[in-house]
Amino acid sequence: MLTVEFALGAGGFAAGDMLVQLVVFLILLALLKKYAFGPLMGIMKQREEFIANEINAAEEKHAEAKKLAEEQRELLKQARIEAQELVENAKKLGEQQKEDIIQAARAEAERLKEAAKKEIEHEKEQAVAELRNQVASLSVLIASKVIEKELNEAEQEKLINDYIKEVGEQL
Amino acid sequence: MGHEAPIVKLLGLEFNLSNILMILVSSAIVFIIAVLSTRSLAMKPTGMQNFLEWVMDFVKNIINSTMDWQTGGRFLTLGMTLIMYIFVSNMLGLPFAIVVDHKLWWKSPTADPTITLTLAILVVGLSHYYGIKLKGFSAYGSDFFKPLPFLFPLKIIEEFANTLTLGLRLYGNIYAGEILLGLLVSLATSGAFGFIGAIIPMMAWQAFSIFVGAIQAFIFTMLTMVYMAHKVSHDH
């Protein structure tokens, strides 16, 4: 008994203490679980889930942003190609129009030239025809004058010359 | 020391009133700390909540180092209660001791083997309970005959040895610390010269006792989880 007293210290061995310690500890355990550790574990779990969700959301957003950027790049590329095409087309069209206008102008000029030529020809023919008519009538006139007047050769010559001159002046 | 314990007899059982007082005080302090820490829980932890979460992570690490979280998660509350209760109990005897009529009232409850052995028996008992619950009775029973059948007696002795060493290690450390503190106090009160001589070792020993108290709380929790893991895990 002495050794037991020594080993177990001044307090001795009280069986009731075991019971009290056991009961109090279990009560403490239950109370802590209910009022402290339970809620704490809950909030820690909640935080864990929150963080996991946030990470997921961030990853999703990142992927989406990447996709959008890719799309934008694609669009930009397409737009650039389209713009180039437009410019090319416009250039081609302009060239075409220029060519057409020149062609038309040339044709018009040709036509005008042709028309003027024809006019000149026509005028000339008319003038010649008129001249011919006048020459005929003059010839008749001259013949009648010659017949009217019995003139000598010299006078006749002079007369003809005068008439020709007259005609020349008239023409 | 030589102080007597205030013992009363009730229904054939002896009750050490000082132990009961100190058990209640420790439990109350632990409960108050825990409830104050978790009074205003928030996703962004502040102040005391940080402290309790740190403790929880600490115990989680202890459990994770001995078994997988699937089986070990259920022991988190037990581990946290143990580590906080034992730490607070170890600290209680450090600043002062109260003696009334040659009876020691205020001390560390863990400086009494009855208390520490009760905790040890509780832990070992729980390990057997969870061993049967999680593995089934036949697997639990066959563990006593592994790795070799003739080691069975040793296995039985091991269980009792575990209980005894778990409880007495804690008791021995704390009780020794308190005895030395008591001796230094009696030296300090012996006279002016004794007071000056005692003050430096007193401070040193109290600091060391704080360290020992924290270490012992950690060791007790660690060993609890080791014994649990030994009983509940399938692979050895």
Side-chain angles (χ1 to χ4, degrees), chain B residues 71-223:
Chain B
T71 50
R74 71 193 76 217
F75 304 129
L76 183 58
T77 315
L78 174 69
M80 287 203 55
T81 312
L82 272 178
I83 202 167
M84 287 176 76
Y85 178 75
I86 292 172
F87 179 75
V88 169
S89 298
N90 292 348
M91 292 304 117
L92 281 184
L94 291 185
F96 50 80
I98 297 177
V99 180
V100 180
D101 290 339
H102 286 287
K103 285 177 178 166
L104 181 62
W105 280 95
W106 185 281
K107 60 187 186 81
S108 284
T110 42
D112 191 303
T114 322
I115 307 298
T116 59
L117 279 175
T118 309
L119 289 175
I121 291 168
L122 172 73
V123 162
V124 174
L126 275 177
S127 78
H128 285 276
Y129 168 71
Y130 278 109
I132 295 171
K133 188 184 171 191
L134 293 181
K135 291 172 76 178
F137 190 79
S138 55
Y140 162 79
S142 69
D143 263 358
F144 282 99
F145 299 97
K146 282 173 187 168
L148 294 166
F150 68 85
L151 290 178
F152 174 68
L154 284 179
K155 285 271 188 180
I156 296 296
I157 291 169
E158 188 192 0
E159 294 303 322
F160 289 101
N162 279 349
T163 316
L164 271 178
T165 54
L166 186 61
L168 291 181
R169 177 185 303 109
L170 177 59
Y171 154 67
N173 276 284
I174 305 308
Y175 186 57
E178 298 216 338
I179 282 184
L180 193 52
L181 277 181
L183 288 176
L184 286 168
V185 165
S186 55
L187 173 64
T189 51
S190 64
F193 189 70
F195 184 77
I196 293 165
I199 205 162
I200 299 287
M202 187 87 174
M203 287 201 297
W205 188 249
Q206 276 189 325
F208 185 63
S209 288
I210 291 173
F211 174 68
V212 167
I215 286 288
Q216 285 305 318
F218 165 69
I219 288 176
F220 196 96
T221 313
M222 185 75 184
L223 284 175

Side-chain angles (χ1 to χ4, degrees), chain B residues 50-69:
Chain B
N50 265 327
F51 164 72
L52 208 64
E53 286 193 6
W54 173 75
V55 175
M56 188 168 268
D57 275 336
F58 186 73
V59 176
K60 252 184 201 170
N61 281 340
I62 292 176
I63 294 174
N64 276 327
S65 67
T66 53
M67 55 191 132
D68 59 330
W69 189 245

Side-chain angles (χ1 to χ4, degrees), chain A residues 99-113:
Chain A
E99 210 66 29
D100 280 357
I101 288 168
I102 289 172
Q103 207 71 29
R106 206 166 273 162
E108 183 73 9
E110 204 68 28
R111 197 180 61 78
L112 280 178
K113 212 165 93 184

